[in-house]
């Protein structure tokens, strides 16, 4: 039996797509092995959102050569789409499969081993032809609801590599969720490139989430990274529903209105801050997390100060800090006043320090409170670890617990490892 | 994902030495007034975003292009000949009039600089009976592209470098001097500095942020 190893870089959408591909491959006559092991086939689902993502993707491609230089190497995902022609000239890569043709990877592997000469582009394009995955690399089931983006933020390469915004049919999403619940998953994570723009027939994003919450079963729903686009008060009220996790990751990118305008973001700082307040009021201890880009072209010290001040006022539970990196073909590439790396590094450090301080304060505020932990892993010491509904890592100090199981706990302490982790006792 | 949607150039209409309209075969491309397309010369990599200038019922698709001094695409587009092929992606964008605004016949303030007038031209051509005022900032009065397409009672050209416009001075100066109903829906399209200034002015005049919509040209 041929061995196939998968590696995913980047976003949850990539995770979903890899999970589905791996599930299909495992149902066929192949064995899935860990990526660090020798395999006959390596599938690398790449990311290109920053220079660093490109670098990591290239490193992983090189790694396959060390693991087994005779293996079949398939590179897919956003970097594969962005640099397709260049990668096709790389002798260590057998197939470069763009995002449009990613669903064809199993057919491609089958055809290859049958000795057929195939081109990935010859397969049909279907952005949603991903089967619900029964066995995945994660405890949580990612659900793809949407693909592509039409916002064209000036820094972002994603519209080029993921294409125009398109929404999956609501019925297909409901079916996918029912299937994964049937497989035993306890948490579904709604994923896409620009979730808030979901629109399929009468369903907008809010109506879709509401309908998903009505699906019977013992599971919870989490919304992955989303843009701050026009949510109504009725959307915020959805967080009263016990199935919807009180956590959202909404991309701020900058606390300066001038920089937001240059980024072509479709909101102002005031609109964002109003929304943040409503979200934080929508459920107890709501965990609002965000992305901030530092060092965007022309970002002055004052602009950066405004980002720091806004982040401090809102008190994000976590800030994912990105140093601006040029993406070829974007509008920002052609802007003036690109900043030196030293300034980006300095600003990045300051934002990260602020983030750590708020994160610790937020997590300490959970002491004595209750959480419902979905156990993802049993640690070496026998204790169980997982995430609470607020997306905080929690260790339950008890042996003999099971993975993929909900446990109601009380937070009794915290440890600061690489990040603050809460300690809990079962109620 | 880039798709190769090829459209034939019908002709080029030169409005000034540096500004021109590309008239392109439509190939059934449907759009909402205010949206833009990604446009490039067929077979080349470079694309630029251009707001659609024509109306939804027009035979041809039109974009209004200003040749950028150090630009690549706008210079190449200007040299194109009728019959040559363009690559178009889209339409995309959300700089459109909402159903609520249209149904309730809201009072609209359109503010543009230069070729930023394109989406408003498309809206006004496409949607009859819009209750609009259009403020167009140009350097010189002769840059008031398509002026005859607008109701003279609703159009003001603010020329900043000569006295041939309806108002001499920048758009921002004009806006500061005017009174606006708090229920006015404002749409700004054009250069970054104008939009930044105009947003601030309108907020000071009591227009809420929800009624301010922007499309930045760089």
């Amino acid at each position: 039996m041929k061995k196939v190893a998968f590696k995913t870089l980047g976003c949850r959408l990539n995770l979903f797509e890899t999970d589905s591909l791996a599930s299909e491959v495992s149902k066929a006559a192949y064995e899935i092995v860990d990526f660090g092991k020798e395999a006959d086939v390596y599938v690398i689902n790449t990311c290109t959102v920053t220079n660093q993502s490109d670098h990591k993707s290239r490193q992983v491609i090189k790694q396959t050569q060390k693991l087994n230089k005779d293996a079949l190497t398939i590179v897919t995902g956003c970097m594969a789409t962005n640099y397709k022609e260049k990668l096709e000239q790389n002798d260590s890569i057998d197939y470069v499969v763009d995002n449009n043709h990613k669903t064809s990877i199993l057919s491609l592997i089958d055809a290859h081993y049958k000795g057929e000469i195939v081109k990935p582009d010859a397969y049909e394009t279907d952005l949603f032809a991903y089967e619900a995955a029964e066995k995945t690399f994660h405890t949580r089931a990612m659900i793809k609801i949407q693909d592509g983006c039409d916002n064209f933020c000036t820094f972002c390469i994603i519209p080029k590599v993921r294409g125009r915004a398109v929404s999956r049919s609501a019925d297909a999403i409901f079916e996918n969720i029912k299937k994964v619940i049937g497989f035993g998953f306890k948490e579904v994570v709604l994923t896409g490139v620009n979730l808030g723009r979901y629109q399929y027939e009468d369903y907008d994003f809010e109506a879709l989430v509401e309908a998903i919450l009505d699906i019977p079963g013992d599971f919870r729903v989490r919304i992955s990274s989303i843009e701050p686009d026009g949510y109504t008060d009725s959307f915020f009220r959805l967080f009263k529903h016990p199935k919807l996790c009180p956590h959202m990751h909404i991309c701020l990118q900058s606390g300066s209105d001038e920089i937001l305008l240059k980024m072509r973001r479709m909101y102002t700082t005031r609109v964002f801050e109003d929304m943040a307040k409503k979200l934080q009021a929508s459920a107890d201890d709501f965990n609002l997390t965000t992305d901030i880009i530092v060092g965007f072209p022309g970002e002055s010290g004052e602009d950066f100060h405004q980002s720091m001040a806004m982040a401090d006022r809102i008190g994000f539970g976590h800030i994912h800090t990105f140093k601006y990196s040029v993406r070829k073909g974007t509008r920002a590439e052609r802007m003036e006043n690109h900043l030196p790396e030293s300034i980006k590094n300095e600003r990045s450090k300051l934002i990260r320090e602020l983030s750590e301080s708020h994160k610790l304060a937020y997590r300490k505020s959970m002491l004595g409170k209750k959480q419902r932990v979905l156990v993802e892993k049993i640690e070496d010491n026998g204790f169980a670890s997982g995430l609470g509904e607020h997306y905080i890592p929690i260790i339950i100090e008890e042996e003999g617990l099971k993975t993929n199981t909900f446990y109601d706990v009380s937070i009794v302490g915290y440890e600061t490892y690489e990040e603050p982790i809460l300690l809990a006792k079962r109620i | 994902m880039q798709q190769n949607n090829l459209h034939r150039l019908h002709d080029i209409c030169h409005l000034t030495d540096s500004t021109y309209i590309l008239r392109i075969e439509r190939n059934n491309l449907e759009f909402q007034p205010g949206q833009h397309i990604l446009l490039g010369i067929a077979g080349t990599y470079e694309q630029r975003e251009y707001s659609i200038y024509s109306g939804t019922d027009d035979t041809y698709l039109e974009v209004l292009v200003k040749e950028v001094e150090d630009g690549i695409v706008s210079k190449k587009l200007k040299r194109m000949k009728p019959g040559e092929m363009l690559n178009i992606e889209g339409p995309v964008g959300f700089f459109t009039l909402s159903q609520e605004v249209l149904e309730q016949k809201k009072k609209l303030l359109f503010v543009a600089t230069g070729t930023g007038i394109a989406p408003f031209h498309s809206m006004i051509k496409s949607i009859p009976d819009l209750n609009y005022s259009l403020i167009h900032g140009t350097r010189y009065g002769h840059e008031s592209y398509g002026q005859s397409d607008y109701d003279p009672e609703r159009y003001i050209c603010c020329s900043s470098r000569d006295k041939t416009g309806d108002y001499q001075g920048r758009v921002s100066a004009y806006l500061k001097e005017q009174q606006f109903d708090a229920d006015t829906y404002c749409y700004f399209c054009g250069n970054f500095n104008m939009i930044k200034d105009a947003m601030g002015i309108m907020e000071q005049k009591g227009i809420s942020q929800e009624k301010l919509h922007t499309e930045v040209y760089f």
Side-chain angles (χ1 to χ4, degrees):
Chain A
M1 188 181 273
K2 299 281 187 193
K3 294 174 181 171
V4 184
F6 286 86
K7 179 75 176 180
T8 312
L9 296 110
C11 64
R12 288 193 177 87
L13 188 51
N14 261 7
L15 294 177
F16 161 85
E17 290 167 347
T18 301
D19 278 346
S20 176
L21 293 169
S23 178
E24 275 187 77
V25 165
S26 71
K27 283 188 227 165
Y30 301 97
E31 180 189 351
I32 304 290
V33 296
D34 288 343
F35 191 81
K37 293 186 175 168
E38 188 173 326
D40 301 292
V41 183
Y42 291 101
V43 180
I44 304 148
N45 197 357
T46 59
C47 174
T48 194
V49 74
T50 61
N51 284 338
Q52 203 178 9
S53 317
D54 284 342
H55 178 71
K56 281 184 189 168
S57 298
R58 282 194 294 269
Q59 290 297 108
V60 172
I61 294 166
K62 276 185 192 163
Q63 193 188 343
T64 63
Q65 290 300 291
K66 289 178 189 162
L67 292 164
N68 180 5
K69 66 180 175 55
D70 297 323
L72 182 68
T73 301
I74 300 172
V75 180
T76 186
C78 292
M79 187 214 184
T81 308
N82 201 18
Y83 300 102
K84 191 173 178 189
E85 286 169 11
K86 198 172 171 187
L87 290 171
E88 280 171 342
Q89 290 164 13
N90 182 336
D91 291 340
S92 61
I93 299 170
D94 296 281
Y95 296 104
V96 181
V97 183
D98 64 30
N99 280 325
N100 268 351
H101 297 91
K102 201 185 279 186
T103 52
S104 68
I105 283 178
L106 173 59
S107 305
L108 191 65
I109 298 170
D110 281 342
H112 178 88
Y113 282 119
K114 283 178 191 162
E116 296 170 11
I117 298 168
V118 287
K119 281 199 155 196
D121 291 357
Y123 290 99
E124 273 187 33
T125 297
D126 190 336
L127 297 172
F128 298 118
Y130 291 96
E131 289 293 317
E134 183 167 3
K135 290 176 186 168
T136 74
F137 299 108
H138 315 95
T139 309
R140 294 171 288 146
M142 314 292 162
I143 307 292
K144 180 175 181 178
I145 69 163
Q146 184 273 345
D147 205 338
C149 183
D150 293 344
N151 282 13
F152 287 93
C153 298
T154 55
F155 56 84
C156 186
I157 194 70
I158 297 305
K160 185 181 166 197
V161 293
R162 281 282 180 181
R164 302 287 65 76
V166 54
S167 298
R168 187 181 184 190
S169 91
D171 284 344
I173 294 167
F174 302 146
E175 191 62 28
N176 190 161
I177 291 174
K178 285 173 188 168
K179 270 190 183 170
V180 297
I181 294 167
F183 294 150
F185 284 94
K186 301 288 186 191
E187 182 174 316
V188 297
V189 184
L190 307 182
T191 68
V193 177
N194 191 345
L195 297 182
R197 295 281 182 192
Y198 181 87
Q199 188 69 54
Y200 190 87
E201 295 175 347
D202 291 339
Y203 286 96
D204 60 10
F205 183 63
E206 183 181 325
L208 181 79
V209 173
E210 200 168 5
I212 289 169
L213 294 172
D214 283 342
I215 295 173
D218 182 24
F219 70 100
R220 66 189 184 193
V221 179
R222 196 178 296 283
I223 297 168
S224 70
S225 181
I226 194 164
E227 296 296 308
D229 288 338
Y231 302 108
T232 61
D233 288 346
S234 56
F235 175 74
F236 301 126
R237 281 197 290 275
L238 290 179
F239 286 96
K240 301 287 179 206
H241 197 291
K243 275 185 183 161
L244 187 58
C245 293
H247 162 236
M248 275 183 94
H249 186 89
I250 306 187
C251 308
L252 169 62
Q253 308 302 18
S254 174
S256 155
D257 280 319
E258 282 199 33
I259 295 298
L260 289 177
L261 202 53
K262 284 183 179 168
M263 290 175 165
R264 201 188 278 139
R265 303 289 287 172
M266 295 181 197
Y267 54 90
T268 61
T269 53
R270 196 190 302 166
V271 167
F272 189 100
E273 211 156 342
D274 287 349
M275 184 190 60
K277 280 180 192 157
K278 286 180 180 173
L279 275 171
Q280 287 171 326
S282 69
D284 290 341
D285 305 306
F286 193 95
N287 187 13
L288 180 61
T289 58
T290 199
D291 288 348
I292 290 182
I293 295 173
V294 295
F296 186 79
E299 185 190 63
S300 66
E302 175 56 25
D303 292 323
F304 175 69
H305 172 75
Q306 288 174 16
S307 291
M308 287 284 285
M310 187 166 170
D312 197 29
R313 280 197 306 277
I314 292 176
F316 293 107
H318 173 71
I319 301 170
H320 196 155
T321 313
F322 291 90
K323 284 187 292 180
Y324 169 76
S325 66
V326 176
R327 301 285 74 198
K328 193 171 165 49
T330 60
R331 185 60 190 85
E333 180 195 14
R334 306 196 304 279
M335 285 182 180
E336 294 175 344
N337 300 322
H338 283 252
L339 301 186
E341 280 304 301
S342 56
I343 291 181
K344 292 182 199 172
N345 288 336
E346 187 186 321
R347 292 179 183 175
S348 175
K349 181 171 173 278
L350 290 169
I351 289 273
R352 279 203 307 272
E353 285 170 359
L354 181 70
S355 172
E356 291 311 312
S357 150
H358 278 289
K359 185 188 284 184
L360 181 60
Y362 172 72
R363 293 189 182 181
K364 280 165 77 172
S365 77
M366 302 302 282
L367 285 170
K369 293 178 180 170
K370 290 175 185 169
Q371 282 283 284
R372 193 162 201 231
V373 178
L374 179 61
V375 171
E376 298 192 359
K377 189 181 171 193
I378 304 301
E379 302 291 343
D380 292 342
N381 62 5
F383 292 170
S385 66
L387 290 170
E389 60 267 41
H390 291 74
Y391 204 64
I392 306 172
I394 297 171
I395 292 175
I396 309 174
E397 297 175 308
E398 185 177 330
E399 293 179 31
L401 303 185
K402 292 177 184 170
T403 56
N404 195 35
T405 306
F406 283 128
Y407 292 98
D408 291 319
V409 301
S410 176
I411 305 301
V412 296
Y414 70 94
E415 287 284 353
T416 45
Y417 299 103
E418 284 181 0
E419 63 165 342
I421 293 177
L422 299 180
L423 305 175
K425 299 278 186 201
R426 264 214 293 165
I427 299 171
Chain B
M1 201 86 48
Q2 286 181 322
Q3 293 161 354
N4 294 313
N5 299 311
L6 297 176
H7 294 244
R8 192 177 303 277
L9 177 67
H10 184 264
D11 62 31
I12 300 183
C13 174
H14 294 274
L15 303 179
T16 68
D17 286 348
S18 60
T19 307
Y20 54 95
I21 295 170
L22 291 177
R23 194 165 289 131
I24 305 160
E25 286 187 358
R26 198 160 158 175
N27 298 358
N28 300 320
L29 189 147
E30 297 291 326
F31 63 91
Q32 290 179 59
Q35 287 192 298
H36 62 270
I37 53 172
L38 289 100
L39 180 71
I41 298 169
T44 64
Y45 175 82
E46 296 276 0
Q47 282 186 320
R48 295 289 183 267
E49 296 158 34
Y50 292 104
S51 293
I52 298 171
Y53 186 67
S54 47
T56 48
D57 292 333
D58 289 351
T59 307
Y60 293 99
L61 188 71
E62 293 177 343
V63 291
L64 180 62
V65 184
K66 169 86 174 171
E67 184 181 8
V68 179
E69 206 167 304
D70 302 321
I72 299 170
V73 176
S74 62
K75 283 187 187 302
K76 287 182 182 170
L77 288 172
K78 193 180 175 188
R79 291 197 297 267
M80 286 187 79
K81 303 282 180 244
E84 291 184 326
M85 301 305 283
L86 292 155
N87 181 22
I88 291 179
E89 238 194 297
V92 293
F94 306 97
F95 191 66
T96 54
L97 302 175
S98 70
Q99 218 39 45
E100 180 200 356
V101 162
L102 292 173
E103 282 169 5
Q104 297 180 18
K105 298 196 182 301
K106 296 286 188 187
K107 193 176 278 186
L108 305 171
L109 176 69
F110 296 152
V111 183
T113 49
T115 55
I117 201 163
F120 303 129
H121 184 268
S122 178
M123 288 174 185
I124 291 163
K125 265 200 117 180
S126 306
I127 307 164
D129 304 326
L130 280 182
N131 184 12
Y132 73 91
S133 298
L134 173 57
I135 319 299
H136 188 197
T138 64
R139 289 174 306 166
Y140 305 103
H142 73 274
E143 293 172 336
S144 56
Y145 318 120
Q147 185 172 356
S148 59
D149 292 336
Y150 311 114
D151 179 345
E153 299 292 312
R154 296 178 180 275
Y155 176 87
I156 298 285
C157 173
C158 301
S159 58
S160 59
R161 295 191 192 174
D162 70 13
K163 295 182 179 176
T164 59
D166 303 303
Y167 175 89
Q168 192 195 347
R170 291 181 181 276
V171 158
S172 50
Y174 178 81
L175 291 175
K176 275 182 191 166
E177 293 173 13
Q178 306 303 310
Q179 299 299 316
F180 297 97
D181 189 334
D183 196 33
T184 306
Y185 282 68
C186 305
Y187 295 79
F188 307 101
C189 183
N191 74 59
F192 169 79
N193 288 323
M194 178 280 282
I195 290 181
K196 186 183 68 163
D197 293 345
M199 294 260 293
I201 292 165
M202 299 314 286
E203 275 192 80
Q204 281 180 354
K205 288 183 177 287
I207 311 280
S208 63
Q209 286 203 348
E210 294 70 32
K211 295 192 177 76
L212 306 178
H213 304 273
T214 63
E215 184 80 304
V216 191
Y217 282 13
F218 295 99

